[in-house]
Amino acid sequence: MVSPADARPEAAPPPSESEPSRPDLASDAAAAASASATAASASMDDRPTVAIVIGMAGSGKTSLMQRVNAYKHAQGKPPYIINLDPAVTQTPYDANVDIRDTVDYKNVMKEYNLGPNGGILTASNLFATRFDQVVSLCEKRSTEIDNVFVDTPGQIEIFTWSASGAIVTESFASAFPTVVLYVVDTPRALNPQSFMSNMLQAVSILYKTRLPLVVVFNKIDVARHETLLRWMEDFEQFHAAVDENPTFASDLSRSLSLVLDAFYKGLRCAGVSAMTGEGMEELFDVIQRARKEYMDEYLPELRARRARRDGETEAKRAEEAEKVKRDLAADSRGEALVMDGSNVTPESFVGEEDTV
């Protein structure tokens, strides 16, 4: 296994004042990662699975990362772990790549006069400008590992709806079979309104990332998740639970459950306990099925988009070349006209105007 010390020195240095603007850097990062993935897309079968772990604060996301790390170590197949939370004080696992080694969250807050959330967002954006280097590190280890796990900030919207989150997601999805794990706090989700909030969040993540999604019900040692699965399979059972406490929110939840019924049918779920390790085998089985979905559905779409983009680029080049040819031909005709009308002088034109 490659130790964290081996990987971390290769992480990108913080951008200096002399570097280009952040939007340009972000564009360059995404373009560089996409370019490095073009040649690699044909060999996706041999590449490790990247699992981007997303979850609300308190869902047990980081504890789950620790459990996953221990589970894979016990199998003799240590995962490659990336921490993207710049504000975490300490992690219960050793990360191979850690954003805190590159960007100092507190200094970012001081330098830009930001609050906690603004500091996390800005630190993430700064790190994303060099994310092609992180993808390169993973590519170097791709023959040695089976899984890459990415721990994201607890402020879910900072990753899901930010430019840095899009860069991270698209960069990985272009280079590796990539899935998203959405971690749910099972005891809290037993409240029908909380359950519906989590399902709406899962829908938004699915449509934002357009990647295979696995809903991971965590903390099943505290409360079992079978009730939640029954709510997803039979909306009438969910309606019965909602009717126990009728409010405006419960009426909204009833309506939304009907809308999401089709969404539930294609959703992959797993129940786990980060505390006891229960459900780890099931989780990795579901991740493997999600990987297959990536290979069968996402990858062909990715290649089709890339082919369309290359075709549009080639067509644009051909159009520009044709335009240059037309301009050159027009210039040649213009020179011939001047030679044929060499006896015409400006004075003759003035004379014609006077005549008129």
Side-chain angles (χ1 to χ4, degrees):
M1 173 187 176
V2 179
S3 66
D6 294 333
R8 289 181 181 175
E10 300 179 58
S16 64
E17 296 179 357
S18 61
E19 292 180 339
S21 63
R22 285 178 212 161
D24 292 338
L25 289 173
S27 300
D28 292 345
S34 178
S36 86
T38 301
S41 61
S43 59
M44 284 287 190
D45 289 334
D46 302 325
R47 297 205 158 211
T49 303
V50 174
I52 301 175
V53 184
I54 302 175
M56 294 184 183
S59 62
K61 179 172 50 61
T62 300
S63 298
L64 178 61
M65 291 283 292
Q66 178 190 25
R67 175 57 61 181
V68 164
N69 187 39
Y71 177 77
K72 294 300 290 183
H73 268 84
Q75 291 184 332
K77 300 177 180 179
Y80 199 79
I81 295 183
I82 299 172
N83 173 47
L84 296 183
D85 189 350
V88 65
T89 304
Q90 60 183 5
T91 57
Y93 54 81
D94 291 329
N96 299 89
V97 177
D98 198 322
I99 186 175
R100 297 173 299 170
D101 294 337
T102 300
V103 183
D104 191 313
Y105 161 71
K106 292 184 178 179
N107 285 345
V108 169
M109 290 177 60
K110 291 179 182 178
E111 181 177 353
Y112 297 101
N113 193 26
L114 300 170
N117 288 341
I120 294 173
L121 179 61
T122 303
S124 298
N125 288 342
L126 289 171
F127 188 71
T129 62
R130 292 291 183 266
F131 202 74
D132 57 299
Q133 297 183 18
V134 177
V135 174
S136 296
L137 286 173
C138 295
E139 289 176 335
K140 291 178 182 177
R141 309 291 190 270
S142 61
T143 59
E144 307 168 13
I145 55 178
D146 293 333
N147 298 93
V148 177
F149 284 89
V150 184
D151 195 4
T152 60
Q155 290 79 353
I156 189 170
E157 69 283 354
I158 288 180
F159 180 84
T160 306
W161 296 101
S162 68
S164 59
I167 289 173
V168 169
T169 302
E170 293 174 8
S171 298
F172 271 134
S174 298
F176 299 92
T178 305
V179 303
V180 176
L181 306 185
Y182 176 58
V183 183
V184 176
D185 185 339
T186 303
R188 290 185 181 179
L190 287 173
N191 177 286
Q193 280 74 42
S194 297
F195 170 78
M196 186 53 61
S197 297
N198 274 283
M199 292 302 101
L200 290 175
Q201 190 69 254
V203 171
S204 69
I205 292 172
L206 175 65
Y207 285 99
K208 183 67 172 64
T209 62
R210 295 186 298 174
L211 288 171
L213 176 70
V214 177
V215 176
V216 182
F217 293 108
N218 193 18
K219 306 182 184 179
I220 62 172
D221 57 306
V222 178
R224 302 302 300 180
H225 68 298
E226 284 80 7
T227 298
L228 306 181
L229 296 179
R230 287 195 295 270
W231 287 354
M232 296 169 67
E233 294 169 358
D234 185 357
F235 62 81
E236 291 184 353
Q237 292 193 34
F238 178 73
H239 290 177
V242 168
D243 291 340
E244 294 178 3
N245 185 23
T247 62
F248 169 76
S250 64
D251 291 339
L252 179 61
S253 296
R254 285 173 59 95
S255 301
L256 289 173
S257 68
L258 298 175
V259 175
L260 296 179
D261 189 54
F263 166 72
Y264 294 150
K265 287 180 171 56
L267 194 61
R268 291 182 175 85
C269 302
V272 302
S273 170
M275 182 64 66
T276 65
E278 180 184 356
M280 284 294 109
E281 184 176 352
E282 178 191 2
L283 174 61
F284 278 90
D285 287 343
V286 175
I287 290 175
Q288 191 62 28
R289 292 199 298 271
R291 173 193 170 97
K292 186 176 185 303
E293 179 185 344
Y294 170 94
M295 299 298 292
D296 294 342
E297 299 180 16
Y298 181 86
L299 186 57
E301 180 184 349
L302 173 66
R303 289 174 174 170
R305 289 202 307 267
R306 189 170 290 155
R308 286 195 300 269
R309 182 191 63 195
D310 293 343
E312 291 171 358
T313 302
E314 189 61 31
K316 188 175 181 180
R317 288 177 180 172
E319 182 181 350
E320 292 293 332
E322 186 62 28
K323 183 178 178 182
V324 170
K325 290 180 181 179
R326 289 197 303 268
D327 290 344
L328 291 174
D331 290 343
S332 299
R333 289 195 299 271
E335 292 176 0
L337 288 173
V338 170
M339 292 175 63
D340 293 342
S342 57
N343 58 335
V344 180
T345 63
E347 290 78 5
S348 63
F349 286 111
V350 173
E352 291 177 3
E353 291 178 0
D354 292 341
T355 303
V356 174

